[in-house]
């Protein structure tokens, strides 16, 4: 079993990249999802949509495989290898995980049937300066230990800013490949190449030695299931409240739910949100990551007994509360 780790900070676009990997290649692979929050979100997203019916997703929640869940991580890899026996396993760590420690953890159980491929880090360049300031060790670790760094969300930056970030990334990782243009336009040979580049044992061991034992950042998380809203407009109002700080200092949120007659998926990264259609159905759910999270307020809006969003909107509009 060959293991490809797709790393990246919260909201960088790792799951979207993995979906593109499935669409752009003929390879069948199992995905291991390590969610930071109380409930898994991306497993359903990965398994949904055209061409994804055969994808198997293994979810680990409520911890980080680079530190607190090392034993569960190793056990899960061995279980996947022995029971599903896929040719490839794609690992998506939590956005707060250290890539170097993850590679070192895998290298400890590496033998002739389990080998590491060269890892990829997905980098949200629009959040690069902020993440580098707030979480410098994690940011540097994910860049330094990647064989390929893929830039995402480049549209909001001008050419000068993009060149500055590329230079900083190159200084952290002198030998890796840096993809600054849209990965969607990459040739099939490039995508297939991600499954062909092996990481040397020395490289995996050195990755784990570069950083001290990882400690998880002091962030809270709230996971909710069986949620709904009565319309898409209510979802817009709710997300406006999220980015305004009404429900706490939310750094990352994502989920999917029925809103009226349609299922919708939402994503929040810092002060930006997006809404897309969702074909998965099933049990609606959401996770919120940040500090000072207002669980009861979130439940009042999103759980069946809470239908006071219009009043909540007035509170958001006139309280003057901001994140």
């Amino acid at each position: 079993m060959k293991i490809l780790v797709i790393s990246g900070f919260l909201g960088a676009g790792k799951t979207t990249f993995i979906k593109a990997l499935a669409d752009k290649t003929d390879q069948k692979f199992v995905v291991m999802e390590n969610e930071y929050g109380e409930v898994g979100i991306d497993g359903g997203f990965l398994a949904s949509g055209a061409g994804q019916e055969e994808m198997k997703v293994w979810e680990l929640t409520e911890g980080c495989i680079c530190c607190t869940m090392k034993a569960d991580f190793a056990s899960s890899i061995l279980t996947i290898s022995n029971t599903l026996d896929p040719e490839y396993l794609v690992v998506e760590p939590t956005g707060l995980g250290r890539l170097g420690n993850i590679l070192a953890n895998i290298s400890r159980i590496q033998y002739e049937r389990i080998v590491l491929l060269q890892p990829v880090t997905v980098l949200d360049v629009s959040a690069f300066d902020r993440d580098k300031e707030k979480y410098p060790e994690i940011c540097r670790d994910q860049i330094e230990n990647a064989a390929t760094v893929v830039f995402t969300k480049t549209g909001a930056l001008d050419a000068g800013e993009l060149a500055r970030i590329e230079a900083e990334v190159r200084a952290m990782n002198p030998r890796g490949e840096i993809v600054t243009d849209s990965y969607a336009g990459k040739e099939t040979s490039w995508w297939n190449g991600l499954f062909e580049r092996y990481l040397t044992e020395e490289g995996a061991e050195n990755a784990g030695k570069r950083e001290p034992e990882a400690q998880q950042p002091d962030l809270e998380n709230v996971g909710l299931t069986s949620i709904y809203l009565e319309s898409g407009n209510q979802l817009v109002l709710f997300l406006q409240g999220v980015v305004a700080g009404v429900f706490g200092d939310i750094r990352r949120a994502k989920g999917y739910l029925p809103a009226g007659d349609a299922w919708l998926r939402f994503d929040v990264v810092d002060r930006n949100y997006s809404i897309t259609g969702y074909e998965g159905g099933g049990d609606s759910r959401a996770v919120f990551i940040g500090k000072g999270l207002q669980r009861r307020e979130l439940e009042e809006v999103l759980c069946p007994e809470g239908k006071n969003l219009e009043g909540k909107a007035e509170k958001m509009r006139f309280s003057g509360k901001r994140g």
Side-chain angles (χ1 to χ4, degrees):
M1 184 173 73
K2 304 173 184 70
I3 301 176
L4 175 61
V5 181
I6 309 293
S7 181
F9 211 78
L10 293 170
K14 300 184 295 296
T15 305
T16 303
F17 183 85
I18 293 172
K19 288 202 76 164
L21 181 65
D23 292 339
K24 297 285 188 177
T25 68
D26 294 328
Q27 304 292 353
K28 301 298 181 185
F29 51 84
V30 172
V31 178
M32 178 187 284
E33 276 283 337
N34 178 210
E35 298 272 22
Y36 183 78
E38 297 175 350
V39 299
I41 302 294
D42 291 331
F45 177 57
L46 280 168
S48 69
Q52 302 297 320
E53 292 83 1
E54 298 182 18
M55 185 178 291
K56 295 180 174 63
V57 181
W58 187 288
E59 291 186 293
L60 294 172
T61 59
E62 293 193 85
C64 181
I65 57 178
C66 80
C67 49
T68 58
M69 296 182 70
K70 285 192 297 186
D72 289 344
F73 179 43
S75 175
S76 294
I77 287 179
L78 293 173
T79 299
I80 291 170
S81 177
N82 292 329
T83 59
L84 300 178
D85 192 26
E87 184 174 2
Y88 299 103
L89 172 65
V90 174
V91 175
E92 180 185 346
T94 170
L96 299 171
R98 294 178 189 251
L99 177 56
N101 285 24
I102 293 165
L103 298 176
N105 292 344
I106 298 174
S107 71
R108 293 189 183 101
I109 59 170
Q110 192 172 203
Y111 65 111
E112 65 273 9
R113 287 190 58 204
I114 296 179
V115 295
L116 269 163
L117 297 172
Q118 294 183 9
V120 176
T121 288
V122 180
L123 181 67
D124 175 2
V125 293
S126 69
F128 174 73
D129 291 331
R130 179 197 61 220
D131 293 340
K132 182 180 63 173
E133 178 183 355
K134 289 188 175 181
Y135 305 100
E137 295 86 2
I138 296 173
C139 183
R140 174 173 285 276
D141 175 87
Q142 291 183 355
I143 291 171
E144 282 184 342
N145 289 297
T148 301
V149 179
V150 177
F151 284 13
T152 62
K153 305 180 186 179
T154 59
L157 278 69
D158 60 32
E161 282 294 291
L162 197 58
R164 174 186 63 82
I165 293 173
E166 182 181 2
E168 290 192 39
V169 171
R170 175 58 68 199
M172 296 181 197
N173 188 336
R175 293 177 297 277
E177 176 188 17
I178 301 176
V179 178
T180 60
D181 55 341
S182 173
Y183 63 72
K186 287 292 185 183
E187 298 288 338
T188 302
S189 59
W190 182 85
W191 291 97
N192 285 326
L194 298 178
F195 290 114
E196 299 168 357
R197 304 167 192 161
Y198 292 89
L199 185 67
T200 64
E201 291 186 19
E202 181 183 2
E205 291 174 1
N206 288 339
K209 292 175 182 176
R210 291 178 191 171
E211 296 289 346
E213 187 69 14
Q215 292 184 343
Q216 212 159 273
D218 184 22
L219 291 177
E220 308 164 24
N221 73 84
V222 169
L224 302 176
T225 58
S226 301
I227 59 175
Y228 79 91
L229 288 169
E230 294 181 350
S231 69
N233 286 338
Q234 284 198 345
L235 179 56
V236 171
L237 280 174
F238 169 67
L239 294 178
Q240 288 174 347
V242 169
V243 300
V246 170
F247 303 99
D249 182 13
I250 294 176
R251 171 66 177 84
R252 179 78 169 107
K254 54 186 175 180
Y256 47 87
L257 76 170
D261 296 330
W263 276 79
L264 298 175
R265 175 181 171 88
F266 67 86
D267 276 278
V268 178
V269 182
D270 200 35
R271 294 296 178 257
N272 299 300
Y273 69 85
S274 64
I275 301 173
T276 57
Y278 182 70
E279 300 177 0
D283 183 25
S284 56
R285 53 185 55 204
V287 64
F288 304 86
I289 300 170
K291 294 185 178 182
L293 303 185
Q294 305 297 313
R295 176 184 282 270
R296 187 166 64 179
E297 299 279 336
L298 289 165
E299 290 174 342
E300 285 179 1
V301 173
L302 294 176
C303 292
E305 62 271 18
K307 299 182 180 179
N308 301 319
L309 188 58
E310 295 302 329
K312 194 72 65 181
E314 290 302 311
K315 213 167 132 184
M316 291 175 345
R317 194 171 291 121
F318 297 115
S319 69
K321 187 173 183 179
R322 292 292 183 270

